[in-house]
Amino acid sequence: MKKLTRSALSAAVVAAVSTGGLAMTATATAEMSANIGVVSNYYFRGVTQTLDSAAVQGGVDFEDASGFYAGAWTSNVDFDDGTSYELDLYLGFAGEVANGIGYDVGYVYYAYPDAPDSIDFGEIYGELSYEMFYAGLAYTINSDNDDGLFDSGDAYYYVGAGLPLPEDFSLGLTLGFYDFDNDGSADVGDASYSHFAVNLAKDAGDLGEFSLNFEYADIDEGDALGTVNSDDLKTWVGWSKGF
């Protein structure tokens, strides 16, 4: 997913980065691009989506000079229930206002077409950025799961920074909090948690981008998202390339 890599609204931070595009018109008012990636573990806001296994991911994006963009992104997943893949569809507007303040607003729909139960949900999101710093919010506005996790009313808040380093390296830092609407209910139990991520990436030009990533989620083993996601530091590596 091109626009939302920092806030991790879809995939792992660098696995979904698109670094190039194909102009659609001679005036370059719009462009199409694509991206592919491989990660040793697919994390979504500090929670594994593949039971600690690897994932192959990719997507396509359309971007207009007006700031409008739309795209689709997919990855294999494993929830130990037969669900095999995720498909994200999104659209939004991004740009810059006065004094160098950037913005990104839009909607993303998370679909799991072969899940045994309907677990799709959709979020609106907004992000503000200035130089290397950014902050944002993703809010679930529609969901097929009325009384569990990823229900309407869930919110993910985050702040972070992206720092360029010498030799085409970069460092990303993200601190987030996932506030579940049904946290503490009898059917769910403790669910809300804080999340921290550190991502070190190397731009290797035509070879793509490589990354070393660390994830921590403050989740106890007895929590709703516990066991495989219990609070110890997770490490994963990734590769991505844009076209």
Side-chain angles (χ1 to χ4, degrees):
M1 191 169 171
K2 184 173 183 177
K3 289 290 179 182
L4 309 176
T5 52
R6 291 185 306 195
S7 53
L9 292 174
S10 64
V13 173
V14 294
V17 172
S18 176
T19 57
L22 298 174
M24 293 182 65
T25 68
T27 56
T29 58
E31 66 177 23
M32 290 290 295
S33 60
N35 60 85
I36 59 172
V38 180
V39 293
S40 61
N41 197 338
Y42 169 23
Y43 280 98
F44 176 77
R45 297 168 185 167
V47 173
T48 180
Q49 305 296 288
T50 50
L51 293 179
D52 288 334
S53 297
V56 178
Q57 305 168 331
V60 293
D61 293 281
F62 167 83
E63 186 174 2
D64 186 76
S66 67
F68 171 78
Y69 64 88
W73 181 90
T74 189
S75 174
N76 61 284
V77 299
D78 186 355
F79 303 143
D80 201 25
D81 64 356
T83 306
S84 67
Y85 73 102
E86 168 189 341
L87 175 63
D88 300 343
L89 305 172
Y90 51 91
L91 54 82
F93 283 90
E96 188 174 296
V97 295
N99 302 317
I101 298 175
Y103 67 90
D104 188 353
V105 295
Y107 172 81
V108 54
Y109 183 76
Y110 301 90
Y112 305 89
D114 65 349
D117 298 309
S118 184
I119 56 174
D120 298 357
F121 66 101
E123 294 178 334
I124 56 172
Y125 56 85
E127 178 180 295
L128 292 175
S129 60
Y130 179 71
E131 294 184 346
M132 68 178 66
F133 303 103
Y134 55 89
L137 164 68
Y139 186 82
T140 305
I141 60 170
N142 61 281
S143 174
D144 293 339
N145 188 7
D146 295 331
D147 54 5
L149 300 182
F150 311 105
D151 180 26
S152 299
D154 294 348
Y156 181 72
Y157 310 88
Y158 63 92
V159 295
L163 294 79
L165 300 175
E167 304 298 329
D168 295 320
F169 282 92
S170 61
L171 179 67
L173 306 171
T174 302
L175 176 64
F177 182 76
Y178 214 145
D179 185 12
F180 290 102
D181 185 55
N182 288 318
D183 179 43
S185 69
D187 293 334
V188 173
D190 294 331
S192 299
Y193 65 91
S194 57
H195 163 237
F196 183 68
V198 179
N199 316 99
L200 178 65
K202 164 69 173 178
D203 184 352
D206 291 340
L207 296 178
E209 186 169 83
F210 299 85
S211 68
L212 173 63
N213 311 272
F214 302 93
E215 302 267 352
Y216 176 81
D218 185 20
I219 299 173
D220 292 332
E221 187 171 346
D223 291 351
L225 292 169
T227 310
V228 69
N229 295 302
S230 299
D231 56 355
D232 55 343
L233 186 66
K234 306 293 198 308
T235 305
W236 59 274
V237 294
W239 168 83
S240 66
K241 184 173 176 57
F243 302 92

